[in-house]
Amino acid sequence: MGDTGTTWSAFEAAEPEFAATVRERFGQHTHHALATVRKDGSPRLSGIEAGFRFGELWLGMMPNSRKALDLRRDPRLALLANPGSGTDMGGGDVRVSGRAVEITDPETVARYVAEAGEPQPFHLFRVEPTEVVRTWVDGDELVLRTWVPGRPARTIRRGNDDSPPRRES
């Protein structure tokens, strides 16, 4: 664990149903969108494959790719699940924000390669979530479910009128 003090498995333990929904959403497509911070502080969006293995969320990247170099310099990230085609979004919009921890331990890398079949050489990062968000439409309402370490998940509903958002949990 790094500065966040959390792992994907900690999120799963704290919010098993929410975590299962997020994993299912990421599992609907192979390619997703990763936001990193460039050297000049501006955002960079890149395509990426994300995988859940050994109770954690992993990102593998080509050697010296811009996104890998971004994360080595500044580990902050946001990972958005591919929304799919059309406007249905197949279960909502799902985003994981957090920090990337590069894994260089040969034993862990070898275990990952054996499981994922990742071509070598590559950079391997484990994601430490600092926020998980799911946004979806339910009838006439926009629904947001959020989780941050150390707090229970909360759900907020907003309608198409001037009413204030309603907190469910």
Side-chain angles (χ1 to χ4, degrees):
M1 288 186 267
D3 294 342
T4 64
T6 194
T7 60
W8 182 263
S9 56
F11 168 54
E12 283 187 318
E15 296 289 339
E17 288 181 37
F18 190 10
T21 299
V22 172
R23 281 181 73 144
E24 179 183 329
R25 188 65 193 82
F26 272 101
Q28 290 178 7
H29 299 280
T30 303
H31 298 100
H32 307 288
L34 175 69
T36 58
V37 180
R38 296 174 188 250
K39 191 183 296 187
D40 68 2
S42 63
R44 181 190 313 273
L45 281 176
S46 305
I48 191 145
E49 294 181 22
F52 295 91
R53 290 178 173 74
F54 324 121
E56 300 303 335
L57 173 55
W58 300 91
L59 305 173
M61 299 170 202
M62 293 174 61
N64 297 314
S65 64
R66 294 292 182 201
K67 58 192 163 193
L69 297 176
D70 286 348
L71 291 174
R72 280 181 152 181
R73 187 183 55 263
D74 184 335
R76 294 176 294 168
L77 64 85
L79 180 65
L80 178 69
N82 185 327
S85 61
T87 59
D88 179 45
M89 291 184 32
D93 185 46
V94 173
R95 176 181 48 84
V96 176
S97 297
R99 298 174 54 83
V101 176
E102 187 167 15
I103 305 300
T104 58
D105 168 60
E107 196 172 297
T108 304
V109 172
R111 181 176 177 217
Y112 183 87
V113 167
E115 173 82 17
E118 192 80 29
Q120 294 187 50
F122 71 107
H123 297 283
L124 180 62
F125 294 91
R126 187 187 71 239
V127 175
E128 294 182 341
T130 57
E131 181 184 50
V132 180
V133 178
R134 177 179 176 226
T135 306
W136 72 100
V137 176
D138 183 16
D140 291 336
E141 294 182 312
L142 181 68
V143 185
L144 293 102
R145 183 145 179 91
T146 62
W147 174 86
V148 296
R151 295 188 213 155
R154 65 183 186 152
T155 302
I156 298 171
R157 292 179 169 270
R158 278 197 327 226
N160 269 346
D161 55 20
D162 291 337
S163 301
R166 296 185 336 270
R167 187 181 275 185
E168 287 186 351
S169 51

